[in-house]
Amino acid sequence: AQKITQTQPGMFVQEKEAVTLDCTYDTSDPSYGLFWYKQPSSGEMIFLIYQGSYDQQNATEGRYSLNFQKARKSANLVISASQLGDSAMYFCAMREISSNYKLTFGKGTLLTVNP
Amino acid sequence: GAGVSQTPSNKVTEKGKYVELRCDPISGHTALYWYRQSLGQGPEFLIYFQGTGAADDSGLPNDRFFAVRPEGSVSTLKIQRTERGDSAVYLCASSSGVGLTYNEQFFGPGTRLTVL
């Protein structure tokens, strides 16, 4: 089974609107971390936000927030007030204690922000 | 301060040749990871170093791939007898430790390898 599933190959959003990028995960580890990375066309991987499995509150970083629903094993990224510069690939990733802390990535979602 | 650097940024080689890809992690980072990103996919784990030793090489696809980190800083990924299927972007990441699940991995810009 896929450890990280991103079901949206591509998403479109109007500038200044909010968008949600979906991510579901599969693990039996009691402790794990969930990450979102942004990859612009230039190729670098930019860390956006982190959620620990024991964190009680949803993570927020500026315009990014993570909608963490542990029972559903979902960790959706919400981007508020979209900007043209948000157009990029977005990857959800998981790190499990049992896996030497390597990151397992989903296939990504290509977000396009329209003016 | 400097981030993770990787050289070369692009490498074109012929099938059957040997290549070396270099990664300079952030100074002081003990953990170093190599990932491979094929077109249209997310990065896939190759190998992880803690200090000088390879703590987990379970992601290396076969014995043509090898990586070293002799002094616990710079790492070199070595690919022998390259095949066209090795064409991908090779990403290196480093982090300051592995004691917690939250330990941000800082990625380098990657090396784009093309095997003709």
Side-chain angles (χ1 to χ4, degrees):
Chain A
Q2 292 277 343
K3 281 190 173 284
I4 296 287
T5 302
Q6 294 181 254
T7 57
Q8 306 153 317
M11 287 285 285
F12 292 89
V13 65
Q14 287 298 120
E15 195 178 6
K16 298 180 186 176
E17 294 190 349
V19 62
T20 298
L21 306 183
D22 294 342
C23 173
T24 58
Y25 61 91
D26 182 28
T27 182
S28 55
D29 275 20
S31 181
Y32 52 91
L34 297 156
F35 299 75
W36 277 91
Y37 282 85
K38 173 184 178 181
Q39 188 175 45
S41 56
S42 52
E44 73 269 32
M45 296 288 285
I46 302 167
F47 166 75
L48 296 178
I49 196 167
Y50 163 84
Q51 180 83 44
S53 57
Y54 288 120
D55 293 345
Q56 295 297 314
Q57 296 193 343
N58 287 344
T60 59
E61 288 286 348
R63 294 187 299 111
Y64 305 108
S65 60
L66 202 151
N67 184 1
F68 181 48
Q69 298 189 42
K70 193 170 182 178
R72 293 186 175 186
K73 293 190 174 178
S74 75
N76 299 339
L77 176 70
V78 180
I79 306 174
S80 63
S82 298
Q83 302 172 357
L84 296 178
D86 293 336
S87 293
M89 282 292 288
Y90 288 80
F91 291 98
C92 180
M94 177 170 63
R95 170 186 257 165
E96 300 163 281
I97 280 194
S98 65
S99 300
N100 281 318
Y101 304 101
K102 67 191 179 193
L103 289 171
T104 302
F105 287 83
K107 292 189 175 183
T109 296
L110 179 61
L111 176 66
T112 302
V113 180
N114 294 318
Chain B
V4 179
S5 62
Q6 293 186 245
T7 53
S9 55
N10 277 284
K11 177 70 178 177
V12 180
T13 191
E14 293 180 344
K15 180 175 178 294
K17 298 289 189 183
Y18 167 83
V19 297
E20 289 189 353
L21 312 179
R22 176 188 168 106
C23 172
D24 262 290
I26 292 172
S27 178
H29 279 191
T30 57
L32 185 147
Y33 301 79
W34 283 98
Y35 295 85
R36 178 168 73 173
Q37 186 174 21
S38 301
L39 195 61
Q41 302 293 318
E44 294 180 314
F45 169 79
L46 294 177
I47 187 169
Y48 151 60
F49 288 90
Q50 180 57 32
T52 59
D56 183 352
D57 63 359
S58 61
L60 295 178
N62 51 60
D63 61 7
R64 295 187 297 106
F65 288 75
F66 188 71
V68 296
R69 194 186 185 199
E71 297 178 356
S73 56
V74 170
S75 176
T76 305
L77 179 65
K78 308 180 181 194
I79 310 174
Q80 298 177 331
R81 305 183 304 280
T82 51
E83 300 177 356
R84 292 194 180 90
D86 299 336
S87 296
V89 175
Y90 290 81
L91 294 166
C92 176
S94 71
S95 68
S96 59
V98 292
L100 302 169
T101 53
Y102 176 47
N103 218 317
E104 181 186 344
Q105 292 185 16
F106 296 85
F107 281 82
T111 293
R112 182 175 299 278
L113 175 67
T114 303
V115 182
L116 301 176

